[in-house]
Every structure is written in C-alpha cells, then in structure tokens.
Amino acid sequence: MNAHEKINDILVHLFNEIWELEEDAIITDEYKDISNNDMHIIEAIGLGSDSTMSVVAKKLGITAGSLTTSVNSLVNKKYVVRERSETDRRVVYIRLTEKGRRAYRHHEDFHMQMTDAVIQSLDENEMPVLLKTLESLSKFFRGYKEEK
C-alpha cells in the first residue's frame, strides 16, 4: 500500500472509529435517553445563555426546522429550556438545564481525553506538523461543504 492509500485508509477508519467510540463513551447509563446527535446539539447550545434556534442551527449546518424536533425532545427530557426574550417576544432563547450542563461537560471531557491522547504522543517539533495537517483537513471539509 502506497502512502496515499495508507493515509486514505487511516482517515476513513479513524472517522468511523471516532464516531462509534464517541457514542459508546458519551451515551452512558446516565445519558441513555439521548443520542450522539442530541449530545452534539447540547454542545452547540453551549454553556452560555444567549443561544437562539437560528444560531444553534447555523453552528450545526442544519435548518431551524430540523433543529426544532430535536430541541423539543431535549426539552421534554429536561436537558434544555426555552425562554422568550423580554424585549422581543418573537425571539426564543434556548439554554441548557443543570442536567444539560452535566451532559455538556461529560461530552467535553471525552473530547479533552481524545485530544490529550494525541498531544501526549508528540514532541514539540511534531505539534506544528499536526496542526498544519488538521487545519488543511478542516479547510478541505469547509470548502467541500460550501461547494454543495
């Protein structure tokens, strides 16, 4: 297998493994009532208090209508609350409940462990190479998404 084929093989398997492992690591007994997708919505809402449906939908690259179904479910499960703006009743803010904040921190912890595992294996000369590689990959994904 040449270098191009090997890199392709690693990337394809790595993305699949991260998705599966993340679901196994994140959806524990405490969070068995939500999906990995729900956890990413929780992540996009974040710990602040000024998230709106349109802001969160934009972060996720989906429509506000698509987000509504998931947020309704998360509200019913007590991870998220909706609050109307006092100054403009048309604006609805969404924020995490204490249960939602615990889920957010749980998800964040997994990402920190994953990042730490990669960084610990690098020396100071390898870090810039990894950063450049990941930035190139990220740029490709963003450009590819914009083309669609």
Side-chain angles (χ1 to χ4, degrees):
M1 190 179 304
N2 67 35
H4 190 272
E5 292 168 333
K6 191 174 233 177
I7 290 169
N8 179 67
D9 186 63
I10 290 169
L11 287 174
V12 168
H13 287 93
L14 185 61
F15 291 133
N16 290 332
E17 289 169 1
I18 288 172
W19 187 256
E20 289 173 16
L21 179 61
E22 183 179 46
E23 187 164 3
D24 290 344
I26 290 173
I27 308 305
T28 60
D29 283 345
E30 184 176 359
Y31 304 109
K32 64 184 173 198
D33 60 337
I34 59 174
S35 68
N36 207 18
N37 186 53
D38 290 334
M39 194 64 89
H40 287 110
I41 292 168
I42 288 169
E43 178 184 38
I45 293 170
L47 296 176
S49 59
D50 293 337
S51 291
T52 62
M53 292 291 282
S54 57
V55 167
V56 173
K58 187 173 182 176
K59 279 184 191 177
L60 294 168
I62 61 175
T63 66
S66 297
L67 180 61
T68 298
T69 303
S70 295
V71 168
N72 287 343
S73 174
L74 289 169
V75 167
N76 290 336
K77 295 173 185 173
K78 311 264 189 271
Y79 286 91
V80 174
V81 293
R82 286 188 177 94
E83 294 177 344
R84 288 211 178 268
S85 168
E86 295 294 325
T87 56
D88 184 347
R89 301 297 289 165
R90 296 170 296 174
V91 176
V92 178
Y93 294 105
I94 53 177
R95 66 177 173 78
L96 301 178
T97 63
E98 181 54 39
K99 183 178 181 181
R101 288 192 291 277
R102 281 194 314 272
Y104 177 94
R105 288 186 198 101
H106 175 67
H107 187 213
E108 182 180 51
D109 185 54
F110 171 77
H111 284 203
M112 293 302 291
Q113 288 177 39
M114 180 177 60
T115 303
D116 288 347
V118 172
I119 290 172
Q120 289 173 6
S121 68
L122 300 176
D123 65 37
E124 65 184 53
N125 297 320
E126 293 171 317
M127 186 70 80
V129 175
L130 177 61
L131 284 170
K132 182 178 179 182
T133 303
L134 293 175
E135 287 168 353
S136 295
L137 192 56
S138 180
K139 185 177 177 181
F140 166 77
F141 285 136
R142 288 188 181 120
Y144 190 83
K145 184 177 179 181
E146 289 171 7
E147 288 177 15
K148 297 288 176 184

